[in-house]
Amino acid sequence: MLYHVFISHTTKSRRFLRPLISRCSFQTFSSSRSAVAQQQERPRSNLNVIDFFHPSLSSTLFHYTLNLGVSGHPKSGKVPSETQQQDDLIYSSTQVGDDAYFKRHDALGVADGVGGWRSHKGANPALYSRKLMHYAQLELDRIKTNVRPQQLQVKPDPIQVLESAYHMTTLDAQNEGIVGSTTACIVILCQDELRIANLGDCGVSVIRQNDYIFRSEEQQHSFNFPYQLGTASFDSPADAQQFTVKIEEGDIVILGSDGLFDNLYDDEILEEVQNCIDQQEENTSIIQVAPQTISEALAHRAKIGGKADDISVIVAIVKKDERPPEPSPPPLP
């Protein structure tokens, strides 16, 4: 009997508690819902709106261009070929003795034809180096004019440019019976960095505030035997040194054949550059210095340096491109 009474008492208690619990739960849920509704009704006066197309959100704040100057001297006593004037109408590159170069506002290239081939029948190292630079420039023109949506654009790779140019030069050499080989260096400006491919003993330096921030090193199999592309060579564009250099406005880029770097030490090059800057009027910005003046000074000093060789010097001063970047075309269908 006591057992049944206890059960009965417990059951009543449970029946009594259930309405209380359900009533409390309902009140709590109702109050929470009303609080959320009130919060949603508050005005969003402090909501930040982000303009994803604002220039400040661009990954590159500045676009740069190269202000150029070029000078060169063929080796003393070297007579231009009979076809050089005709070649000037065919090729976009420029020939200096056995050297050749091209220049753009966003890319540079120099090649040094190996003169040791001249004792072989059919050899023309000057034409070989010129063709290589000509096709390198054409490849860059093709890449730059291949309009794509901005998100699909591919930054040019100097190794791929060199490979394409070498392929076309090899075909010409086979079809025209040209014997020769050349060293090469290609520099491409990609927004705020230089992309460099260097094969052999040409060279490139970058000077900032009267000091070097970059200097390439020559590639040689042995003394006076540089890496080279062409006849009987096992070297390929993939063997080239690759570098990426961050640049700023006012940086001075010096690209040259070995005729420059074999005749001038690094501190002598730096001295000539600083002399040209010091000759400018006071408070003249570095970007206002004429790169042609620096190029001529370096080429002249290298010419009297002692080693007889073809000399090609390209000087580029980095400056901000004030023109706004071209808008992206619509996506391809």
Side-chain angles (χ1 to χ4, degrees), residues 144-163:
K144 294 293 185 178
T145 56
N146 185 15
V147 179
R148 298 181 179 182
Q150 189 169 3
Q151 63 269 24
L152 298 179
Q153 290 180 1
V154 179
K155 295 181 181 179
D157 181 353
I159 294 292
Q160 293 179 356
V161 171
L162 191 57
E163 285 178 343

Side-chain angles (χ1 to χ4, degrees), residues 40-75:
Q40 290 178 346
E41 292 173 357
R42 294 176 183 174
R44 301 180 182 182
S45 58
N46 60 342
L47 183 63
N48 293 325
V49 178
I50 300 177
D51 181 5
F52 291 97
F53 299 96
H54 195 275
S56 63
L57 297 180
S58 173
S59 58
T60 302
L61 296 180
F62 301 110
H63 291 264
Y64 295 95
T65 188
L66 301 175
N67 191 15
L68 301 168
V70 185
S71 295
H73 300 289
K75 185 178 179 180

